[in-house]
């Protein structure tokens, strides 16, 4: 999502509302009689309704934070920590920061980042206090990089089950996302669940 996209959306809204006003003041609004009988209140509020509806549809659909492709790889019941992956899209005009997460299915949830230690030939996980997502950008939590560390599951999880995870952002907003349990084959070169 870019500012050019918002500009196009605003332009479309302007065109639609202008057409509505033109039809109204040109007398062609009487064609709406095919649907209902026009009354004075309807004639008065028609232009404003068109503008409001257009702007509302454009803003509510694209503004804010959205979570997509949220999933958790299936793991043996003996594994006490699972990884959660997702894509966060920030449609706000300002950056947002993911401050933390929680889930009723786990004792606690942390934000981690996997980093390859070339010197010791190992992969390390480092806890992150927060993650900043720039305006109009997406941030991917994916295997081998950033992920949610879901600690100590409270029950056995099965494939295709949706697990609720609540994400908290610096603007006070909380979003609940359903993380789908998927079958996941480990890569031999990494040999890691994260």
């Amino acid at each position: 999502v870019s500012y050019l996209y918002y500009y196009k959306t605003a332009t479309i809204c302007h065109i639609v509302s202008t057409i509505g006003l033109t039809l109204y003041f040109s007398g062609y609004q009487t064609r709406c009689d095919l649907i209902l009988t026009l009354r004075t209140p309807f004639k008065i509020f028609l232009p404003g309704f068109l503008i409001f509806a257009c702007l509302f549809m454009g803003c509510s659909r694209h503004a804010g934070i959205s979570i997509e492709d949220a999933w958790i790889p299936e793991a043996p019941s003996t594994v006490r920590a699972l990884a959660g992956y997702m894509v966060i899209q920030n449609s706000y005009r300002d950056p947002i920061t993911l401050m933390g997460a929680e889930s009723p299915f786990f004792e606690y949830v942390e934000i981690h980042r996997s980093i390859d230690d070339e010197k010791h030939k190992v992969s390390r996980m480092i806890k992150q206090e927060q993650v900043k997502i720039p305006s109009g950008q997406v941030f991917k939590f994916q295997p081998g990089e950033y992920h949610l560390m879901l600690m100590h599951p409270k029950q056995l999880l099965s494939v295709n089950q949706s697990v609720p995870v609540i994400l908290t952002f610096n603007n006070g907003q909380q979003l609940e996302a359903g993380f789908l349990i998927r079958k996941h084959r480990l890569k031999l070169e990494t040999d890691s669940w994260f």
Side-chain angles (χ1 to χ4, degrees):
V1 179
S2 63
Y3 289 113
L4 178 59
Y5 181 86
Y6 290 116
Y7 175 78
K8 291 180 179 179
T9 302
T11 301
I12 293 174
C13 288
H14 175 71
I15 293 174
V16 172
S17 59
T18 299
I19 292 174
L21 289 171
T22 302
L23 290 174
Y24 177 78
F25 289 110
S26 298
Y28 289 102
Q29 77 277 14
T30 54
R31 292 189 178 182
C32 293
D33 289 337
L34 295 174
I35 302 175
L36 51 82
T37 302
L38 287 175
R39 298 180 183 277
T40 301
F42 180 75
K43 293 180 180 180
I44 294 175
F45 293 109
L46 176 60
F49 173 78
L50 289 173
I51 298 173
F52 173 80
C54 186
L55 291 176
F56 177 78
M57 291 175 63
C59 294
S60 62
R61 185 176 179 182
H62 302 291
I65 306 168
S66 62
I67 310 299
E68 301 176 355
D69 195 24
W71 65 286
I72 299 172
E74 179 191 23
S77 58
T78 54
V79 174
R80 302 303 296 162
L82 283 73
Y85 307 109
M86 60 183 165
V87 177
I88 303 177
Q89 179 169 333
N90 175 19
S91 298
Y92 284 121
R93 293 186 176 182
D94 299 314
I96 58 167
T97 302
L98 175 63
M99 305 299 295
E102 58 184 296
S103 173
F105 281 64
F106 298 91
E107 291 292 340
Y108 60 95
V109 181
E110 296 180 346
I111 304 172
H112 282 211
R113 182 185 182 187
S114 297
I115 299 179
D116 292 329
D117 187 335
E118 297 294 340
K119 182 178 180 179
H120 298 92
K121 304 299 180 181
V122 295
S123 180
R124 302 181 183 277
M125 287 187 296
I126 301 178
K127 180 181 177 181
Q128 308 291 303
E129 296 300 329
Q130 58 188 31
V131 173
K132 187 175 183 179
I133 301 100
S135 170
Q137 301 294 319
V138 297
F139 193 96
K140 296 182 178 181
F141 283 62
Q142 55 191 2
E145 297 184 17
Y146 283 88
H147 58 274
L148 294 180
M149 184 62 71
L150 309 164
M151 304 298 298
H152 307 304
K154 298 179 180 180
Q155 60 180 312
L156 184 63
L157 303 176
S158 57
V159 174
N160 294 328
Q161 180 178 356
S162 181
V163 177
V165 176
I166 301 172
L167 307 172
T168 302
F169 296 88
N170 63 318
N171 61 357
Q173 184 173 357
Q174 287 188 317
L175 289 181
E176 179 176 313
F179 281 66
L180 188 67
I181 305 295
R182 295 182 186 172
K183 283 187 174 295
H184 181 62
R185 297 184 62 182
L186 297 178
K187 296 181 180 179
L188 295 178
E189 63 269 21
T190 58
D191 192 28
S192 170
W193 292 103
F194 312 110

